[in-house]
């Protein structure tokens, strides 16, 4: 496959150009000009990505295109390059396709906001960073995108920086991701130390040289980065708080970009993970635990966006469960379908919030279906898709993951995933009934002003609803042999089976039994939610009172944030205060003491100069001044004054002469004068 360098790099280049335009002069442009620049750039990227996909379908052989040599540093030579293969092509389509719809939706959602140009600048930069991450042909280029999406998440989550909660949420996302990134960097250091290269091709071709211990160390470090970026236990707490950003940002972070980066990274490095059974087992266990843990929290939340946030954490757990059991193609399949229905759900929730004047508490909603019929319809489609009810998209990908877990010798993990699936169905239809059905619980003034969102927001929802309806069938049917599985085959291989696990087999009776169980628990969750929140809404309050302790634990999210505050945040702050006092009193004290001594020496020197040198100079000056005053008196210009002074001067000279010469001479002189006087 031959792909021109200029052709491939147009994909991130278009939104990067929009970043420069809107970032530099966007504040001077109209909203229309800003949105055309931002949305149009992502649309052009989508077209180029589509053309690239066609080329990759025709020739799936990997192609590396180098733009320039970035680091020519002795043993470390890094090119700024792109790797184009089936996995890259799928990720580019998700990022640019779903990203384009989110950008278009943002035109209506952010209309009138004072930071309109700044918002689209950040959104485009997010897209650029994610494209660099998935297109990079080596670990260092990928790391640029990896850090870029972390930065953009901070900027977008804290976009409304006037709100303290938004600032804290953005900071939390940035700090928690730094923890994961530290592990990720250690993994990169180990890779370079072992292979002397950071190019994928060099590392993967020589992966067989690694010992199991080394492969385990590398992959566990890489997975720490994935835990932070993709919000898995125990570093998941930043993602629910990310709801402080605008709703389209939530859709972009949760559906098309940042949180999928960890899944992509694990699949990209599956050659290394396959050599580390312990690492794969860790990935699977953490994925299943996260899926179940987050689902329990979602059962009792009331914020319409927070429910979806915990749903995202849970669905990402499914993807890592798939990776952990070697079903890499199924993980990417679920990544794609999740992008469809999760973007749909978030933007539908945004349409509800837009109509409700910013209200997000579902306890203050109800009966919105008659006011927002289009939004209600697409939201229900998204709910059915994520619940795993056939034939919508989520059913095909989620069922594959559960089937792979069971058939590859992990029945406990399968059961955890099945339980989480039942909970997912319950809390999603709970959300549907609390928001769109039953009696209206909002204020009369709010109800009076309810209205459907503008078409610029509705049309992207319709497209995503269609993808949620048909995407699973088009991409993944028949199960494990669909188009996406065949397409990704050259990258991921067959459904890999880790060492010690049972071999996968063709679809048979067990597969249909597992499929039936998946559908059954999804329908059970739906019917339970319908009974509690639609048929007998008073039951919800009664259950909450009866199981008050359990409800409190789940509603307060197991107090994990409080636990982290008590065991990590506050001790870190205390350590910082101690370090600050040490710095103030010891380090600064020494520096200040030296400065004070120097200052004292300078003061002594200055005093000596002032009181001695300057004093002598002043005395001399005063003497000169007095002498000048006397001379001015003497120089009067009168002749008789000068004559008097002459006589006085002669008198003084004679006396001085008499004073200094010998007395005998004086006596002799006097005697002579006497003799002469006698004659």
């Amino acid at each position: 496959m031959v792909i021109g360098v200029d052709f491939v790099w147009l994909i991130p280049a278009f939104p990067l150009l929009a970043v420069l335009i809107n970032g530099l002069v966007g504040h001077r442009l109209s909203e229309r000009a800003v949105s055309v620049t931002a949305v149009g750039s992502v649309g052009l990227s989508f077209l180029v990505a589509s053309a690239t996909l066609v080329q990759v379908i025709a020739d799936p052989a990997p192609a590396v295109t180098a733009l320039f040599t970035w680091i020519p540093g002795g043993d470390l030579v890094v090119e700024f390059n792109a790797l184009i293969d089936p996995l890259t092509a799928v990720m580019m389509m998700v990022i640019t396709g779903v990203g384009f719809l989110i950008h278009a939706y943002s035109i209506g959602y952010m209309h009138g906001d004072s930071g309109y140009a700044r918002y689209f600048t950040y959104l485009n930069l997010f897209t650029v960073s994610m494209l660099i991450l998935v297109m990079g042909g080596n670990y260092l280029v990928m790391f640029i995108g990896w850090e870029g999406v972390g930065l953009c998440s901070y900027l977008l989550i804290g976009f409304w920086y006037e709100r303290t909660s938004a600032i804290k949420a953005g900071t939390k996302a940035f700090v928690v991701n730094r923890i994961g990134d530290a592990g990720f960097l250690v993994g990169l250091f180990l890779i370079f130390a072992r292979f002397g290269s950071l190019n994928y091709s060099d590392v993967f071709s020589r992966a067989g040289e690694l010992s199991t211990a080394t492969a385990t160390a590398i992959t566990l470090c890489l997975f720490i980065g994935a835990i932070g970026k993709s919000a898995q236990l125990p570093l998941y707490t930043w993602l629910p708080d990310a709801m402080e950003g605008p709703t389209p940002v939530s859709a972009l972070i949760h559906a098309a970009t940042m949180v999928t980066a960890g899944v992509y990274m694990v699949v990209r490095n599956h050659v290394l993970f396959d050599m580390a059974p312990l690492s794969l087992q860790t990935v699977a266990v953490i994925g299943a635990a996260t899926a179940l843990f987050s689902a329990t929290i979602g059962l009792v939340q009331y914020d319409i966006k927070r429910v979806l946030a915990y749903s995202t954490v849970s669905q990402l757990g499914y993807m890592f469960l798939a990776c952990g059991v070697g079903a890499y193609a199924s993980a990417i399949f679920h990544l794609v379908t999740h992008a469809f229905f999760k973007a749909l759900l978030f933007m539908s929730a945004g349409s509800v919030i837009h109509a409700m004047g910013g209200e997000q508490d579902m306890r203050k909603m109800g009966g919105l279906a008659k006011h927002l019929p289009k939004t209600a319809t697409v939201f229900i489609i998204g709910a059915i898709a994520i619940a795993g009810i056939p034939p919508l998209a989520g059913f095909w990908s989620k069922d594959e993951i559960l089937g792979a877990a069971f058939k590859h010798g992990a029945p406990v993990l399968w059961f955890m995933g099945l339980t989480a699936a039942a909970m997912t169905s319950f809390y999603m239809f709970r959300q549907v009934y609390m928001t769109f059905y039953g009696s209206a619980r909002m204020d009369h003034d709010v109800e009076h002003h309810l209205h459907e969102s503008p078409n610029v927001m509705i049309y992207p929802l319709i497209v995503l609803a269609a993808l949620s309806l048909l995407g699973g069938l088009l991409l993944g049917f028949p199960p494990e042999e669909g188009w996406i599985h065949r397409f990704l085959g050259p990258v991921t291989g067959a459904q890999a089976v880790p060492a010690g696990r049972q071999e996968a087999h063709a679809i048979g009776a067990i597969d249909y039994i597992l499929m039936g169980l998946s559908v059954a628990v999804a329908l059970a969750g739906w019917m339970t939610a319908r009974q509690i929140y639609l048929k007998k809404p008073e039951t919800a309050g009664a259950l909450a009172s009866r199981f008050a302790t359990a409800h409190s634990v789940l509603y307060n999210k197991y107090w994990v944030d409080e636990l982290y505050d008590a065991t990590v945040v506050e001790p870190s702050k205390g350590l910082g205060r101690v370090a600050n006092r040490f710095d103030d009193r010891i380090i600064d004290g020494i520096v200040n003491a030296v400065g004070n001594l120097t200052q004292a020496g300078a003061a002594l020197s200055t005093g000596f100069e002032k009181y001695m040198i300057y004093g002598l100079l002043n005395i001399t000056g005063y003497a000169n001044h007095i002498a000048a005053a006397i001379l001015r008196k003497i120089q009067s210009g009168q002749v008789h004054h000068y004559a008097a002074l002459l006589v006085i001067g002669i008198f003084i000279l004679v006396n001085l002469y008499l004073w200094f010469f010998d007395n005998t001479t004086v006596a002799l002189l006097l005697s002579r004068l006497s003799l002469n006087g006698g004659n």
Side-chain angles (χ1 to χ4, degrees):
M1 177 177 62
V2 179
I3 300 178
V5 175
D6 296 335
F7 180 80
V8 171
W9 285 102
L10 283 175
I11 298 172
F14 284 129
L16 180 59
L17 180 61
V19 169
L20 296 175
I21 294 173
N22 285 332
L24 295 175
V25 299
H27 60 286
R28 300 179 181 178
L29 302 177
S30 65
E31 282 193 2
R32 180 179 178 83
V34 169
S35 57
V36 167
T37 302
V39 180
S41 67
V42 181
L44 291 173
S45 294
F46 174 71
L47 294 177
V48 179
S50 301
T52 304
L53 175 65
V54 172
Q55 288 190 335
V56 176
I57 292 174
D59 181 7
V64 178
T65 58
L67 191 63
F68 58 87
T69 299
W70 178 20
I71 302 177
D75 293 336
L76 178 61
V77 178
V78 179
E79 291 184 332
F80 203 91
N81 58 10
L83 170 63
I84 306 300
D85 65 2
L87 178 58
T88 306
V90 170
M91 294 300 297
M92 289 192 304
M93 291 297 293
V94 171
I95 295 165
T96 58
V98 178
F100 171 76
L101 296 174
I102 294 172
H103 277 70
Y105 174 92
S106 298
I107 296 174
Y109 192 88
M110 297 301 293
H111 173 67
D113 193 281
S114 59
Y116 194 82
R118 178 168 57 89
Y119 169 82
F120 276 104
T121 300
Y122 294 164
L123 213 61
N124 280 148
L125 186 60
F126 210 145
T127 304
V128 172
S129 298
M130 192 65 191
L131 286 169
I132 291 174
L133 190 156
V134 302
M135 292 176 65
N138 59 66
Y139 288 98
L140 207 53
V141 174
M142 179 181 70
F143 189 70
I144 294 175
W146 189 273
E147 290 299 294
V149 295
L151 170 63
C152 293
S153 69
Y154 169 78
L155 296 173
L156 285 167
I157 294 170
F159 177 77
W160 286 317
Y161 55 83
E162 300 89 352
R163 296 174 1 198
T164 303
S165 57
I167 297 173
K168 290 183 177 179
T171 303
K172 184 176 183 180
F174 193 80
V175 171
V176 172
N177 273 273
R178 297 291 71 72
I179 298 172
D181 293 352
F184 187 77
L185 273 174
V186 173
L188 299 192
F189 297 154
L190 291 175
I191 289 173
F192 181 72
R194 183 61 185 81
F195 296 102
S197 174
L198 292 174
N199 290 320
Y200 293 145
S201 57
D202 296 335
V203 174
F204 299 156
S205 64
R206 297 171 52 196
E209 302 174 6
L210 291 175
S211 65
T212 301
T214 303
T216 300
I218 291 173
T219 50
L220 285 178
C221 287
L222 294 178
F223 184 54
I224 291 173
I227 288 174
K229 198 66 69 181
S230 294
Q232 297 295 283
L233 289 170
L235 301 180
Y236 72 95
T237 55
W238 68 269
L239 191 57
D241 290 351
M243 299 302 97
E244 291 295 335
T247 299
V249 171
S250 302
L252 191 65
I253 292 176
H254 288 244
T257 57
M258 184 171 174
V259 295
T260 63
V263 180
Y264 163 80
M265 186 273 295
V266 172
V267 175
R268 174 62 74 192
N269 288 276
H270 75 90
V271 175
L272 301 178
F273 279 88
D274 287 340
M275 297 185 63
L278 177 61
S279 296
L280 281 177
Q281 187 176 18
T282 302
V283 172
V285 169
I286 288 181
T290 303
L292 181 59
F293 178 83
S294 301
T296 61
I297 297 175
L299 294 173
V300 298
Q301 299 303 308
Y302 295 105
D303 186 304
I304 190 171
K305 288 174 63 177
R306 194 166 289 271
V307 173
L308 296 178
Y310 281 104
S311 168
T312 297
V313 177
S314 182
Q315 296 303 308
L316 288 166
Y318 280 106
M319 299 176 205
F320 283 109
L321 172 60
C323 291
V325 299
Y328 300 110
S330 297
I332 297 299
F333 183 25
H334 195 55
L335 184 153
V336 174
T337 59
H338 178 262
F340 297 156
F341 55 70
K342 187 50 62 69
L344 171 62
L345 288 167
F346 264 113
M347 293 198 291
S348 299
S351 181
V352 171
I353 296 169
H354 184 267
M356 292 287 296
E359 181 60 63
Q360 296 183 197
D361 192 334
M362 294 186 296
R363 291 170 292 188
K364 299 180 181 179
M365 299 180 186
L368 292 181
K370 62 177 179 286
H371 299 285
L372 312 174
K374 296 177 183 178
T375 299
T377 301
V378 295
F379 191 96
I380 292 170
I381 291 173
I384 296 173
I386 194 174
I389 297 175
L392 276 72
F395 163 75
W396 302 101
S397 56
K398 187 186 295 184
D399 181 70
E400 271 189 17
I401 293 171
L402 293 175
F406 187 87
K407 291 186 292 182
H408 292 173
V412 174
L413 301 183
W414 165 80
F415 183 75
M416 293 171 67
L418 189 69
T419 305
M423 293 180 178
T424 300
S425 179
F426 174 81
Y427 66 64
M428 286 309 306
F429 285 105
R430 168 182 178 266
Q431 190 172 34
V432 168
Y433 293 126
M434 288 188 69
T435 303
F436 296 104
Y437 295 97
S439 58
R441 297 181 296 277
M442 71 285 293
D443 294 337
H444 177 72
D445 290 340
V446 174
E447 185 177 13
H448 180 70
H449 291 93
L450 288 173
H451 60 281
E452 190 65 89
S453 297
N455 288 335
V456 71
M457 294 172 64
I458 293 297
Y459 289 154
L461 299 180
I462 294 173
V463 174
L464 289 168
L467 292 172
S468 299
L469 279 168
L470 304 174
L473 277 170
L474 295 176
L475 297 177
F477 186 83
E480 301 183 16
E481 297 178 3
W483 177 86
I484 194 168
H485 304 88
R486 298 192 304 272
F487 183 60
L488 292 174
V491 179
T492 62
Q495 295 284 56
V497 183
R501 303 267 175 89
Q502 301 174 7
E503 290 291 333
H505 52 78
I507 294 178
I510 186 64
D511 297 277
Y512 290 111
I513 293 174
L514 295 174
M515 189 180 300
L517 287 172
S518 296
V519 175
V521 298
L523 292 175
W526 182 357
M527 292 301 103
T528 304
R530 185 173 184 270
Q531 181 69 19
I532 294 176
Y533 291 96
L534 183 62
K535 294 295 185 179
K536 297 181 179 180
E538 68 278 3
T539 306
L543 289 174
S545 299
R546 182 176 180 182
F547 302 100
T549 301
H551 183 274
S552 178
V553 170
L554 297 180
Y555 180 73
N556 290 286
K557 302 157 286 186
Y558 297 94
W559 291 285
V560 173
D561 283 295
E562 290 78 5
L563 177 64
Y564 285 174
D565 284 341
T567 60
V568 178
V569 177
E570 291 304 324
S572 298
K573 288 181 178 178
L575 183 61
R577 286 190 289 267
V578 170
N580 190 53
R581 284 196 294 269
F582 178 81
D583 185 64
D584 286 342
R585 298 179 182 180
I586 305 301
I587 305 301
D588 286 354
I590 293 173
V591 173
N592 292 336
V594 173
N596 291 335
L597 288 174
T598 303
Q599 189 174 19
L604 289 173
S605 175
T606 302
F608 177 80
E609 180 180 5
K610 179 177 180 181
Y611 295 108
M612 299 299 294
I613 306 300
Y614 287 173
L616 292 174
L617 292 176
N618 289 336
I619 291 171
T620 304
Y622 292 144
N624 291 335
H625 179 74
I626 294 171
I630 294 172
L631 290 175
R632 280 198 302 272
K633 294 295 184 180
I634 294 173
Q635 299 294 328
S636 63
Q638 302 294 322
V639 176
H640 60 279
H641 287 174
Y642 296 151
L645 290 173
L646 179 60
V647 172
I648 293 171
I650 293 171
F651 177 79
I652 292 172
L653 289 175
V654 171
N655 279 278
L656 288 174
Y657 177 81
L658 294 176
W659 178 266
F660 287 106
F661 281 89
D662 185 65
N663 292 332
T664 305
T665 305
V666 176
L668 180 60
L669 178 61
L670 291 175
S671 65
R672 287 180 179 178
L673 290 174
S674 300
L675 291 175
N676 291 333
N679 292 330

